[in-house]
Each structure stands twice: as structure tokens, then as C-alpha cells.
């Protein structure tokens, strides 16, 4: 499954303890974003899913900016592992 491959980024012992951690939430949001993106490629007029995708993107962006302020090294590692672009600084 796709979900297991992204969750396996965080080690098994950390996964059980840190489900509320910022890193785990970013990984799960990335998983949901990729699933919704593939869904929207088939169903282009599914506007409710488009709205949900935009909300999840915003949540992930806020978590990524929080992580970049708190722990820049962990942020860089997570961005590289998930293969997502670095956010633009304001």
C-alpha cells in the first residue's frame, strides 16, 4: 500500500510513540495529498475534493513552516525524504 511506504519513513518504534509529532503529521498529510491528486486526475470536476486538497495543503504548509523555524535540520531531512519542494520564504 502507498500509505505504509510513507509511514515507514519514520521508524517503527517512533511511529507508535509519536503519532502527534509534526513529522508524522506531515508524512500523513503528504500521503493524503498524493492520493487526492491521483483521484483528481481521474475526476477533474470533483470540486469538493479540490477544496479538501487545498485545505490539506494549507495545513501541511503551516506545519512545514513551524518545523523549519524550530528544527531546520529535521526540516531539510524530511523535505528530502518526501521529495517535496522547499517553501518560499517571505
Amino acid at each position: 500500500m502507498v500509505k505504509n511506504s510513507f509511514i515507514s519513513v519514520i521508524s517503527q518504534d517512533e511511529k507508535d510513540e509519536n503519532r502527534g509529532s509534526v513529522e508524522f503529521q506531515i508524512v500523513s498529510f503528504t500521503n493524503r495529498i498524493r492520493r487526492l491528486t491521483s483521484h483528481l486526475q481521474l475526476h477533474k470536476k470533483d470540486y469538493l475534493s479540490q477544496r479538501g486538497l487545498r485545505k490539506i495543503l494549507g495545513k501541511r504548509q503551516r506545519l512545514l513552516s513551524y518545523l523549519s523555524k524550530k528544527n531546520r535540520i529535521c526540516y531539510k531531512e524530511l523535505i528530502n525524504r518526501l521529495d517535496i519542494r522547499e517553501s518560499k520564504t517571505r
Side-chain angles (χ1 to χ4, degrees):
M1 287 182 79
V2 175
K3 182 176 183 180
N4 291 335
S5 66
F6 290 116
I7 291 177
S8 66
V9 170
I10 299 173
S11 68
Q12 291 296 97
D13 52 329
E14 288 181 6
K15 184 175 76 169
D16 294 332
E17 298 173 7
N18 294 330
R19 287 192 177 245
S21 70
V22 176
E23 293 89 358
F24 185 84
Q25 289 181 34
I26 291 172
V27 169
S28 64
F29 282 147
T30 303
N31 177 32
R32 289 175 63 191
I33 287 167
R34 290 185 176 152
R35 272 190 301 149
L36 274 174
T37 303
S38 65
H39 168 78
L40 287 172
Q41 288 174 350
L42 293 174
H43 308 282
K44 296 182 191 318
K45 293 190 177 184
D46 189 356
Y47 299 116
L48 289 176
S49 292
Q50 289 177 11
R51 180 176 184 263
L53 177 64
R54 285 192 297 269
K55 288 179 77 167
I56 294 170
L57 283 168
K59 286 181 185 179
R60 186 181 73 174
Q61 187 61 41
R62 287 191 298 272
L63 284 172
L64 283 170
S65 66
Y66 169 79
L67 186 63
S68 70
K69 291 175 190 170
K70 293 295 180 183
N71 191 352
R72 191 72 179 172
I73 297 168
C74 184
Y75 168 76
K76 290 281 191 185
E77 290 174 359
L78 190 64
I79 291 259
N80 290 333
R81 281 190 287 178
L82 293 177
D83 194 31
I84 54 179
R85 289 182 293 175
E86 188 171 348
S87 64
K88 297 178 182 176
T89 56
R90 293 183 182 184

